[in-house]
Amino acid sequence: MKLKKYILLLLLFTTAITFSQINNAKELTIKGTVKTKVKGNPISGVEVSASSGATVYTDVFGSYKIKAVIGDYLLFKSRDIETVEYRIINDEDVDVLVEGLDGDDVGISKSQLHGAYLDSAKQYKKEDIGKSIDYIRISLEQLGKRGNNKERAASFSLLGEIYQYHKQYDLAVDNYNESITTYETLKTKILLGNAYILNKEYKNAEKIFLELKNNKKLSSYQKIQVFEGLGDAYKAMQDAKNAVANYNNGLKVAKKELVSPKITDLNSKIAETYDDVNQTDEAEAYFDSSLESAKSEAPQRSLEIKERAADFYSKNNLYDKEMELRKKSLKEIDLLNNNKRKSATFKTEAIEVPITRQRINYKIANTLIVQDKLDEAIPYLEESISEAASENDLVVQKDATRKLSEVYDDKGDYSKALETYKKYAAVADTLYARKEQEISRAERLSKQIAAKQNRITGLEKDKELSESKYSLAKTKQDLYTTTTKKQQLLIYSLILGMLLFGIAAFFFYRSNRQQKLANNLLALKSLRSQMNPHFIFNALNSVNNYISKSDERSANRFLSEFSTLMRAVLENSEEDFIPLTKELELLELYVKLEHSRFPDKFNYTIETDPSIDVAAFQIPPMLLQPYIENAIWHGLRYKEDLGFLNISLKQKDKEAIEITIEDNGIGRLKSAELKTQNQKKQRSKGMGNIKKRVAILNSMYKDKVTVFVQDLNEDGSGTKVTLTLKKD
């Protein structure tokens, strides 16, 4: 144990020395130009980036000015030149001379026009994916059917970057592969490896990076990227040993070349890998190193690393360290706002959600609640709710409001708990409406992307067909002397045309299938978290009724059981399927609550065949609840005498069970007649959601669930719902 501590101290000491060298480096302003080698013509629009984070572009005179520190790498990138790499060793000007761009042509060349379209695509990359893709299509059309392969590859590589930014990872992979097939570059292969990881194709990513690992043409920065990519792939495959080994290889290069952003990133990733395998001491040491390195970087980067480390401390119950970092993060966000930034929220690849004041306050409150410091947590929750409301952040507002209601409930302040829960229900309803709008927008965007991608695919097929026609025409000219050769040429053309048509049809079918799957997942995410609002508000009214009657004991009991049910529903709302045992527990609690409200209306039983292996089955969460609610509210509640509800489970065959919900209520027809005109105009959100969920799940999981509803008696009284559930 002592040896382990000495190793950790030695690691921190050596890392601190490296960081002190980096932190003591003075920031410099580096100036220079980018020009052609022979005639000295200036090259505008060249991207100049420093490894410490700054990025600028050359002006019409080919000049640039950038902030950097000694040890930084400057990268000069443009569509017209090979990427140039230069390491800063002093404050002298850095002039770059490029060969092969000293043509005598006057006016805009095809290459310049193609580059202009790619620049426009980059400009709209983040804000308008549709326009960005259109400029890529125009760039390909401008090249023509027999254009330059290098420029064509650049178009597909940029298209892959656009799709990757908008999380269309499968399309990003396809276009990177198209680019490499046309003209292979190291940059695009690295991008492809990272896209494979994002698309969860870890073995393909491993293969790409292993091929690159021994490539002698890699620059120092690219070597770091390759080691990091291999580490990411192994980490995703839960191979911690190989992940740490590759991250450390990348870290060695980054320290040697003083590439401070990568030193920070790799220390954090090593820490997270150790945390995954519960080596907490090692993880903490590397997080400390990452925090130290981040001090020399931009405020946003420092803020990101603090939040990643704070999440680690929270997970491992190091609450003092977590609270210290969270409070520093709040101060840094305030500092960014004071510097007149429009917003201090941003996303990174490591942290998918924005870093905002409301989220940090919510996390601080959660930490205090875990430590049973409820009174201290309340102000942080209230501030989080207020800030989220002002920023229109409904997700945080909903979570913080629900958590505040639970805190009041735990403190025994049930009136405030009820009042806060009503606010939570209102926010949740607003969020649901927004999710429906987002689904609609996502569907439209998916169709738009599919149409534009199909058009680009069509251009490539036209190019292939044109090249085939050219080849066939030449063959026809050579073999024109014989009739037999003419006939063969015609047959070959027809076969090739049919083959290309089949390929185009296949790509169109695959694209549509991918979009359908994406739409189904978006729809499920919205529908599965919903519960009939009638039950929620009726249950709250029951609590209010107990309070008005001064029946505090019944109110406490009912509210406690209701809170348990709602917590379980919210916890399961992100899952497509949950264990059947858990679903039965929720149903029993739900029926118990309804029976306590209508004890004189019905009795109930829940029967499970002992031969059923209940643990072997999975079921969509809250699938049965709307049918039971209908039986009680529309069947049993209107009976004059005492009704009966029976829920039974029996084995249908080896792969399926049958769940029956049977009541002797007034029946569906008579219940419909008793509805008011206003009720008839309303549609049951619960039953509508269930039908949609069942339809989507059956399309995705091959008819896993079937539902059949029937009347039991000739006069229409009594209802039986039979649900058949298959194993996975």
Side-chain angles (χ1 to χ4, degrees):
M1 190 66 183
K2 289 183 177 180
L3 178 61
K4 187 177 183 181
K5 288 183 178 179
Y6 290 146
I7 292 172
L8 290 175
L9 288 172
L10 180 61
L11 171 66
L12 285 171
F13 178 73
T14 55
T15 307
I17 293 174
T18 303
F19 290 150
S20 65
Q21 293 172 349
I22 294 171
N23 292 336
N24 292 331
K26 183 180 178 182
E27 188 175 64
L28 306 173
T29 299
I30 304 298
K31 297 182 291 182
T33 58
V34 181
K35 297 180 179 179
T36 59
K37 187 172 184 179
V38 177
K39 296 184 179 180
N41 294 325
I43 306 174
S44 63
V46 176
E47 178 185 311
V48 185
S49 60
S51 55
S52 56
T55 300
V56 297
Y57 293 86
T58 57
D59 59 20
V60 292
F61 303 105
S63 301
Y64 69 90
K65 186 187 296 184
I66 189 170
K67 297 286 186 183
V69 297
I70 291 177
D72 264 0
Y73 272 89
L74 290 185
L75 298 178
F76 299 83
K77 295 186 288 186
S78 170
R79 62 188 177 275
D80 297 322
I81 67 173
E82 289 289 341
T83 298
V84 177
E85 186 177 292
Y86 182 88
R87 184 179 175 186
I88 299 172
I89 56 175
N90 52 42
D91 62 351
E92 293 181 358
D93 292 354
V94 179
D95 295 318
V96 175
L97 299 177
V98 180
E99 294 182 342
L101 294 178
D102 287 298
D104 296 324
D105 296 337
V106 179
I108 299 176
S109 67
K110 268 192 173 184
S111 177
Q112 290 173 319
L113 188 59
H114 174 262
Y117 288 134
L118 293 194
D119 287 342
S120 298
K122 291 176 185 176
Q123 181 180 349
Y124 288 104
K125 171 184 171 181
K126 296 182 179 179
E127 60 189 61
D128 191 333
I129 184 175
K131 279 188 177 180
S132 193
I133 295 173
D134 280 338
Y135 277 114
I136 296 293
R137 174 181 55 79
I138 295 170
S139 76
L140 290 168
E141 290 175 344
Q142 178 266 335
L143 287 175
K145 294 177 180 178
R146 299 182 63 80
N148 182 291
N149 280 343
K150 186 176 179 181
E151 292 176 338
R152 190 178 298 278
S155 292
F156 282 109
S157 182
L158 180 55
L159 183 56
E161 292 183 55
I162 293 166
Y163 282 132
Q164 183 169 322
Y165 179 82
H166 291 278
K167 299 184 178 180
Q168 303 289 322
Y169 302 129
D170 55 336
L171 293 175
V173 166
D174 290 344
N175 283 282
Y176 287 143
N177 274 316
E178 184 70 33
S179 175
I180 291 170
T181 301
T182 306
Y183 185 89
E184 182 176 311
T185 65
L186 292 173
K187 175 189 173 184
T188 304
K189 288 201 75 172
I190 293 172
L191 287 170
L192 175 60
N194 289 325
Y196 273 136
I197 292 172
L198 293 170
N199 205 39
K200 299 182 179 179
E201 298 180 55
Y202 306 125
K203 284 294 182 182
N204 286 337
E206 178 190 18
K207 181 180 178 182
I208 288 288
F209 286 124
L210 285 175
E211 290 175 0
L212 288 167
K213 189 175 180 180
N214 298 318
N215 193 311
K216 295 181 180 179
K217 294 182 180 180
L218 288 172
S219 67
S220 296
Y221 192 79
Q222 287 173 331
K223 286 179 183 177
I224 298 171
Q225 288 180 305
V226 170
F227 283 125
E228 183 179 14
L230 266 174
D232 291 342
Y234 287 126
K235 183 175 184 292
M237 291 188 288
Q238 299 180 344
D239 185 349
K241 182 179 179 181
N242 275 322
V244 170
N246 281 283
Y247 286 145
N248 271 318
N249 286 336
L251 188 58
K252 287 177 185 176
V253 180
K255 287 180 178 179
K256 180 181 178 182
E257 303 296 335
L258 295 178
V259 186
S260 55
K262 286 302 179 185
I263 294 174
T264 303
D265 284 339
L266 290 165
N267 272 308
S268 295
K269 289 185 176 183
I270 294 171
E272 289 166 350
T273 307
Y274 276 129
D275 185 34
D276 288 344
V277 292
N278 298 317
Q279 292 183 233
T280 308
D281 291 342
E282 290 84 350
E284 186 176 356
Y286 276 99
F287 264 125
D288 289 343
S289 299
S290 180
L291 287 167
E292 185 66 29
S293 174
K295 290 179 181 178
S296 65
E297 299 189 46
Q300 291 93 335
R301 284 277 294 153
S302 177
L303 185 59
E304 173 199 337
I305 299 302
K306 282 186 177 65
E307 282 304 291
R308 290 167 69 176
D311 289 340
F312 161 76
Y313 293 142
S314 176
K315 176 184 173 184
N316 291 280
N317 303 329
L318 300 171
Y319 300 126
D320 291 340
K321 283 194 170 186
E322 178 199 358
M323 294 291 284
E324 181 184 355
L325 287 182
R326 301 278 193 216
K327 290 177 180 179
K328 284 183 179 179
S329 294
L330 288 175
K331 290 180 181 179
E332 289 187 12
I333 290 179
D334 289 338
L335 182 62
L336 289 172
N337 283 327
N338 290 336
N339 289 335
K340 297 183 179 181
R341 293 181 179 271
K342 184 177 180 182
S343 173
T345 68
F346 58 93
K347 292 183 180 179
T348 69
E349 288 185 3
I351 298 180
E352 288 293 329
V353 295
I355 299 174
T356 59
R357 281 190 59 87
Q358 57 264 29
R359 284 189 182 276
I360 295 174
N361 276 316
Y362 178 62
K363 289 180 178 181
I364 291 174
N366 276 324
T367 299
L368 291 170
I369 291 168
V370 169
Q371 300 176 80
D372 204 26
K373 299 178 181 179
L374 302 183
D375 291 329
E376 294 181 39
I378 290 174
Y380 284 103
L381 287 172
E382 290 175 340
E383 188 172 355
S384 176
I385 293 167
S386 174
E387 290 168 341
S390 65
E391 295 291 334
N392 200 23
D393 187 349
L394 291 180
V395 174
V396 173
Q397 187 181 358
K398 171 182 73 71
D399 292 342
T401 307
R402 177 173 62 85
K403 185 65 70 174
L404 183 59
S405 174
E406 293 173 358
V407 169
Y408 283 134
D409 181 52
D410 292 340
K411 283 172 58 66
D413 193 342
Y414 301 116
S415 60
K416 281 190 176 181
L418 179 60
E419 179 185 352
T420 308
Y421 192 85
K422 288 180 179 179
K423 292 179 181 178
Y424 157 73
V427 175
D429 192 48
T430 304
L431 182 60
Y432 171 70
R434 179 179 291 183
K435 289 293 182 183
E436 287 185 327
Q437 294 173 357
E438 288 177 359
I439 289 172
S440 178
R441 286 196 297 268
E443 288 176 349
R444 291 196 298 270
L445 180 61
S446 294
K447 291 178 181 177
Q448 181 187 19
I449 290 173
K452 292 179 183 296
Q453 179 62 32
N454 287 337
R455 191 168 178 183
I456 290 173
T457 303
L459 285 174
E460 287 307 292
K461 299 308 170 189
D462 286 345
K463 172 180 172 289
E464 292 174 12
L465 185 59
S466 176
E467 290 175 348
S468 299
K469 286 181 178 178
Y470 174 80
S471 177
L472 290 171
K474 187 176 180 181
T475 304
K476 179 180 177 180
Q477 186 177 5
D478 294 339
L479 304 175
Y480 185 74
T481 53
T482 64
T483 305
T484 303
K485 295 299 182 182
K486 290 181 182 180
Q487 293 173 344
Q488 289 178 345
L489 181 60
L490 180 60
I491 292 171
Y492 292 153
S493 298
L494 289 172
I495 292 173
L496 183 59
M498 292 174 65
L499 180 61
L500 291 173
F501 178 82
I503 293 172
F506 167 74
F507 278 105
F508 182 79
Y509 166 76
R510 189 181 71 169
S511 177
N512 282 346
R513 187 175 64 179
Q514 289 170 340
Q515 297 309 317
K516 183 179 179 181
L517 176 60
N519 294 341
N520 282 343
L521 290 174
L522 284 170
L524 271 181
K525 187 173 183 180
S526 175
L527 293 173
R528 66 190 173 198
S529 63
Q530 302 308 309
M531 187 176 179
N532 195 329
H534 293 135
F535 167 67
I536 297 174
F537 291 108
N538 287 331
L540 293 175
N541 287 334
S542 295
V543 177
N544 193 41
N545 186 41
Y546 287 133
I547 294 172
S548 66
K549 292 179 179 180
S550 300
D551 189 355
E552 183 177 349
R553 185 173 181 180
S554 297
N556 289 346
R557 176 185 55 79
F558 191 96
L559 186 59
S560 176
E561 292 175 346
F562 175 73
S563 175
T564 300
L565 176 62
M566 292 309 298
R567 286 180 187 177
V569 170
L570 291 168
E571 287 172 359
N572 296 331
S573 64
E574 290 298 316
E575 304 294 333
D576 288 343
F577 290 90
I578 63 171
L580 180 57
T581 51
K582 187 179 290 186
E583 176 75 355
L584 292 177
E585 291 172 3
L586 295 181
L587 286 181
E588 188 168 356
L589 183 55
Y590 170 74
V591 177
K592 182 179 178 183
L593 287 172
E594 292 286 28
H595 185 259
S596 68
R597 298 177 60 212
F598 307 112
D600 57 340
K601 288 296 182 181
F602 73 99
N603 285 327
Y604 70 94
T605 59
I606 300 177
E607 302 172 344
T608 302
D609 186 343
S611 65
I612 298 176
D613 183 9
V614 179
F617 289 85
Q618 300 274 322
I619 189 169
M622 296 304 287
L623 181 67
L624 303 173
Q625 182 269 339
Y627 295 109
I628 297 173
E629 182 178 2
N630 271 9
I632 296 171
W633 277 79
H634 302 297
L636 297 170
R637 190 163 64 106
Y638 294 109
K639 270 183 74 71
E640 295 179 359
D641 55 342
L642 187 66
F644 186 76
L645 173 67
N646 179 54
I647 303 168
S648 64
L649 288 80
K650 64 180 181 179
Q651 193 83 38
K652 185 175 182 181
D653 54 46
K654 290 183 179 180
E655 298 300 320
I657 61 171
E658 193 175 84
I659 304 172
T660 303
I661 303 167
E662 187 174 338
D663 69 84
N664 62 349
I666 63 173
R668 293 181 292 173
L669 182 61
K670 192 170 182 180
S671 174
E673 293 173 355
L674 291 176
K675 286 186 178 179
T676 64
Q677 288 300 318
N678 183 53
Q679 288 174 327
K680 290 178 180 178
K681 292 178 182 178
Q682 295 177 348
R683 297 177 60 190
S684 171
K685 183 181 290 186
M687 294 304 297
N689 283 352
I690 289 297
K691 290 179 181 178
K692 291 178 184 176
R693 286 178 67 198
V694 170
I696 293 173
L697 288 167
N698 281 337
S699 70
M700 294 172 64
Y701 298 100
K702 298 182 180 179
D703 298 325
K704 182 179 177 66
V705 179
T706 58
V707 181
F708 179 70
V709 183
Q710 66 184 107
D711 297 324
L712 288 176
N713 303 309
E714 293 182 358
D715 61 355
S717 64
T719 306
K720 181 178 181 181
V721 178
T722 304
L723 184 143
T724 303
L725 180 66
K726 297 179 181 179
K727 284 186 180 179
D728 293 333

